[in-house]
Amino acid sequence: MSLQWNDKVFGVKEENFEALALEVFRFQAENNPVYSDFLKALKVEPARVSQITQIPFLPVRFFKSHEIKTTDPIAIGFEAQAVFESSGTTGSVNSRHFVKDLLLYEESFTKGFELTYGPINQYCIIGLLPSYLEKGNSSLVYMVDKLVRLSEHPQSGFYLNDPIAIGFEQLAVVLQELEKRKQPTLLIGVTFALLDFAERFSFSLEHAIVMETGGMKGRRKEMIRPEVHEKLKNAFAVPVIHSEYGMTELLSQAYSKGDGIFNCPSWMKVLMRDEEDPFLVSMPRFQTVASISGTINIIDLANIWSCSFIATDDVGKLNADESFEVLGRVDGSDLRGCSLMVV
């Protein structure tokens, strides 16, 4: 059953995305107890849902209070291969994502990365994720660790900033060595660590991609994304700063190659819900407008064994070409460890 879904999910084309999303919706409505109860509470009959804008999206906070699991009717029970937990902030209740199939997650993030940036083995992958490494159950660390191993580059790996002098000095030396060899490099880091590093070292990275994943985690004051990017661009003499948009509750990522404009892989889609009416969901192609603003809903078909329809707490703008921007957080929502306030 898993392989059948994997082939469907990662082979989906734009023209049949909606049909597959509706198939996944009905499968999860029947086999996910929490989602099924959610639909019943809303008095939604799955058989009457005929387009993706009619699908109810599960509020992301349910991952804090419930075990979101979709069972396979052919198999017996649900055995999680991993439980990823959000970083959160001190005193907060963290989300948990019960992952039934780690190979599906690996296929999702490797395909998603290579569709955007090309073969992983052409890069040296450097992770600067100190706070996430400390937790040990981060989906982001799992992803970057796999990318490090797939790169097969001897200098790929995680670099710590504790003690800060030794860790950052080592990282600076490695990056400059790679630059001299014109080695394509991905420096992916949590925002506060990249800023800390940029304040200690400044040199040109002509052959490197600098990618922020968001996140201050109380280490620094929140900054708007353009301000963060400007500091990093100045420090490393790069024309743009790349960004990764992902979360514990998803198994797929969107990437931005600059200016905070994200694009999804074919099996992931962003819709917008009205901030006043959470059941009013729309896309630009249904409205013949250049862009629409609202709160971000995400369809992640790779979430076949949890829930593929997530109502996030992120405010954003969705463009007619289905690229999107993240503009901030819903008032009163928890500040996530990976969040980057931009309004």
Side-chain angles (χ1 to χ4, degrees), residues 105 108-113 116 139-140 143 244-247 250-255 262-265 267-268 300 324:
Y105 179 42
S108 178
F109 66 66
T110 54
K111 284 182 180 291
F113 181 90
T116 307
S139 58
L140 177 60
M143 179 183 79
E244 180 259 359
Y245 180 85
M247 56 183 68
L250 302 177
L251 293 185
S252 302
Q253 301 77 33
Y255 290 102
F262 293 90
N263 287 279
C264 297
W267 56 91
M268 179 183 180
D300 182 5
F324 69 98

Side-chain angles (χ1 to χ4, degrees), residues 17-311:
F17 181 93
E18 185 162 28
L20 181 56
L22 289 168
E23 182 182 351
V24 170
F25 163 67
R26 295 190 180 99
F27 175 74
Q28 293 182 340
E30 182 176 352
N31 297 290
N32 184 317
V34 173
Y35 192 46
S36 178
D37 288 346
F38 178 68
L39 296 175
K40 290 175 184 175
L42 297 177
K43 295 182 171 55
V44 171
E45 296 182 29
R48 293 182 177 273
V49 174
S50 60
Q51 61 184 40
I52 57 176
T53 54
Q54 296 173 338
I55 294 174
F57 285 71
L58 188 72
V60 71
R61 65 178 177 273
F62 273 60
F63 282 80
K64 296 175 182 283
S65 55
H66 297 75
E67 295 186 3
I68 311 300
K69 299 176 178 179
T70 298
T71 58
D72 185 339
I74 297 177
I76 299 175
F78 183 109
E79 184 175 348
Q81 294 183 352
V83 180
F84 293 131
E85 188 172 338
S86 64
S87 55
T89 53
T90 303
S92 67
V93 177
N94 296 338
S95 291
R96 292 186 301 164
H97 190 169
F98 293 80
V99 179
K100 181 178 180 179
D101 185 357
L102 280 171
L103 288 179
L104 186 150
Y105 179 42
E106 292 177 6
E107 186 170 3
S108 178
F109 66 66
T110 54
K111 284 182 180 291
F113 181 90
E114 291 192 328
L115 283 169
T116 307
Y117 293 104
I120 296 167
N121 62 10
Q122 74 180 9
Y123 292 95
C124 176
I125 307 288
I126 292 177
L128 188 57
L129 304 167
S131 58
Y132 293 87
L133 284 170
E134 294 160 9
K135 289 186 62 63
N137 55 357
S138 162
S139 58
L140 177 60
V141 168
Y142 187 96
M143 179 183 79
V144 175
D145 180 64
K146 182 67 174 181
L147 295 180
V148 163
R149 286 183 280 124
L150 289 174
S151 76
E152 298 182 341
H153 193 283
Q155 288 174 296
S156 289
F158 291 96
Y159 289 76
L160 301 176
N161 61 339
D162 186 21
I164 194 167
I166 297 174
F168 278 179
E169 286 178 3
Q170 180 189 15
L171 176 57
V173 169
V174 168
L175 285 172
Q176 290 176 90
E177 288 177 355
L178 293 168
E179 189 65 26
K180 288 177 183 178
R181 297 201 299 268
K182 299 182 179 181
Q183 166 63 50
T185 300
L186 171 67
L187 172 61
I188 178 170
V190 63
T191 303
F192 78 82
L194 287 173
L195 288 170
D196 288 346
F197 180 64
E199 287 179 357
R200 290 181 58 85
F201 297 93
S202 178
F203 45 80
S204 175
L205 290 177
E206 184 179 348
H207 302 284
I209 293 169
V210 179
M211 180 182 293
E212 51 91 3
T213 68
M216 293 299 190
K217 288 190 63 63
R219 307 289 183 99
R220 305 173 66 105
K221 71 178 182 68
E222 293 294 333
M223 300 168 62
I224 61 173
R225 176 172 275 121
E227 186 181 359
V228 169
H229 286 200
E230 197 61 30
K231 285 181 177 291
L232 296 177
K233 285 192 292 185
N234 290 338
F236 304 121
V238 291
V240 295
I241 300 299
H242 295 232
S243 305
E244 180 259 359
Y245 180 85
M247 56 183 68
T248 300
E249 301 85 357
L250 302 177
L251 293 185
S252 302
Q253 301 77 33
Y255 290 102
S256 165
K257 289 187 171 183
D259 300 322
I261 300 174
F262 293 90
N263 287 279
C264 297
S266 62
W267 56 91
M268 179 183 180
K269 193 177 289 289
V270 166
L271 296 83
M272 289 290 160
R273 71 180 186 271
D274 188 270
E275 293 186 44
E276 301 298 328
D277 181 358
F279 300 109
L280 180 59
V281 177
S282 57
M283 298 179 64
R285 65 186 174 90
F286 294 141
Q287 297 190 344
T288 63
V289 295
S291 66
I292 51 176
S293 298
T295 310
I296 294 175
N297 280 1
I298 296 177
I299 300 177
D300 182 5
L301 297 182
N303 266 20
I304 187 65
W305 303 116
S306 54
C307 183
S308 291
F309 311 96
I310 305 297

